[in-house]
Amino acid sequence: MKFSSDNSKNKKHTLWHDWLTYDFIVGIALQLLLYFVAMFVWSMRFPKLSFERTPILNVHYLVMFLPFIVGVFGLWARTYELPVWAKFFTKVSLPVLILGVISAVVLCIVPPYCSSTTKTEQYMIVDRDVDAESFDICRHIFPSHISGAPSNTSYRYYKYSSILEDDFHLSLGETLSSEQFKEESDRILALDILKDADLSTSKDITLIDTTLNGDLIVHITLDSAYNRIIYAAGYNRIK
């Protein structure tokens, strides 16, 4: 009995002093880090808006889970004394641990989440890190409120931030009554901020294009055939 107890203690001692066990612990820690960053840090930055995921997130999730998976199966192989599998998981434990750490760092530096909404009730609600001067220009050009019927209105806000780039896009499409269309068209064409904009007209459509505040691209479409106005503005900055 004493020999069996000592052997058990030796196995436990070995179990808690190998790479597989550390992979198991670090794998869990990495996943908790991702959860904290995604669910708490990013959601605090975008408190009122929905998230969108970029496809690469699924790849990062897989890499993040590798240390955890290797740790679990490695401990399973050691527990049931399967030397071939134990040896295999021991060899791959360090590489997948390194990949998991790299993936965690990338997720923190280049977040795979963006802040976005298409809900008209969130019209002109933007994130705190949108360039203030550019957003003031947008508020000056875009209407103060949505006048068109919900069924004929499209709205989109998009914001992505990382240490590498800073993207912002805002667009609104409205179909108005004839009177509303004329009133809003006259307001837009009279804006002093658009006096130097490129203006092109055809039978029913007037296009207004300009760049303001250095890199804020503004595009407006006035469609008199359908009494529809489309506003679009945004910038794409490389840090």
Side-chain angles (χ1 to χ4, degrees), residues 26-66:
V26 173
I28 293 176
L30 290 176
Q31 291 170 60
L32 290 176
L33 173 64
L34 175 63
Y35 178 82
F36 176 78
V37 171
M39 296 298 118
F40 292 95
V41 177
W42 291 333
S43 64
M44 284 190 293
R45 289 189 62 241
F46 315 134
K48 299 179 180 180
L49 305 172
S50 59
F51 283 123
E52 286 187 0
R53 299 192 312 173
T54 56
I56 195 64
L57 179 62
N58 295 325
V59 177
H60 280 291
Y61 269 136
L62 176 61
V63 176
M64 288 282 291
F65 268 96
L66 283 179

Side-chain angles (χ1 to χ4, degrees), residues 21-218:
T21 303
Y22 293 135
D23 278 358
F24 181 82
I25 296 172
V26 173
I28 293 176
L30 290 176
Q31 291 170 60
L32 290 176
L33 173 64
L34 175 63
Y35 178 82
F36 176 78
V37 171
M39 296 298 118
F40 292 95
V41 177
W42 291 333
S43 64
M44 284 190 293
R45 289 189 62 241
F46 315 134
K48 299 179 180 180
L49 305 172
S50 59
F51 283 123
E52 286 187 0
R53 299 192 312 173
T54 56
I56 195 64
L57 179 62
N58 295 325
V59 177
H60 280 291
Y61 269 136
L62 176 61
V63 176
M64 288 282 291
F65 268 96
L66 283 179
F68 178 83
I69 295 172
V70 169
V72 169
F73 280 100
L75 292 175
W76 166 79
R78 290 177 61 83
T79 301
Y80 290 94
E81 298 181 353
L82 303 173
V84 175
W85 286 110
K87 185 177 180 180
F88 169 77
F89 287 117
T90 301
K91 286 185 176 180
V92 302
S93 61
L94 183 57
V96 299
L97 176 60
I98 294 173
L99 287 175
V101 172
I102 293 173
S103 181
V105 172
V106 170
L107 284 171
C108 293
I109 294 176
V110 188
Y113 287 97
C114 69
S115 180
S116 173
T117 186
T118 57
K119 298 177 181 179
T120 54
E121 59 266 27
Q122 293 178 332
Y123 180 62
M124 286 299 185
I125 298 176
V126 302
D127 297 292
R128 291 187 292 272
D129 58 349
V130 171
D131 180 75
E133 188 172 347
S134 294
F135 184 54
D136 285 342
I137 293 172
C138 291
R139 285 192 295 186
H140 193 57
I141 294 174
F142 281 61
S144 59
H145 63 279
I146 295 176
S147 302
S151 59
N152 294 319
T153 299
S154 60
Y155 176 66
R156 168 122 174 116
Y157 164 73
Y158 171 92
K159 181 69 174 67
Y160 177 77
S161 300
S162 74
I163 67 168
L164 302 177
E165 61 181 307
D166 182 17
D167 295 346
F168 163 71
H169 173 78
L170 189 67
S171 64
L172 172 68
E174 288 189 292
T175 300
L176 307 171
S177 66
S178 298
E179 294 176 353
Q180 289 175 320
F181 177 82
K182 185 179 185 311
E183 181 179 343
E184 182 63 10
S185 296
D186 291 343
R187 182 191 72 84
I188 293 171
L189 294 171
L191 287 174
D192 187 63
I193 199 171
L194 297 177
K195 65 180 181 180
D196 296 324
D198 295 329
L199 188 69
S200 59
T201 60
S202 62
K203 180 180 179 182
D204 298 315
I205 296 178
T206 298
L207 300 178
I208 303 171
D209 291 283
T210 189
T211 300
L212 303 171
N213 194 31
D215 57 1
L216 180 68
I217 299 174
V218 178

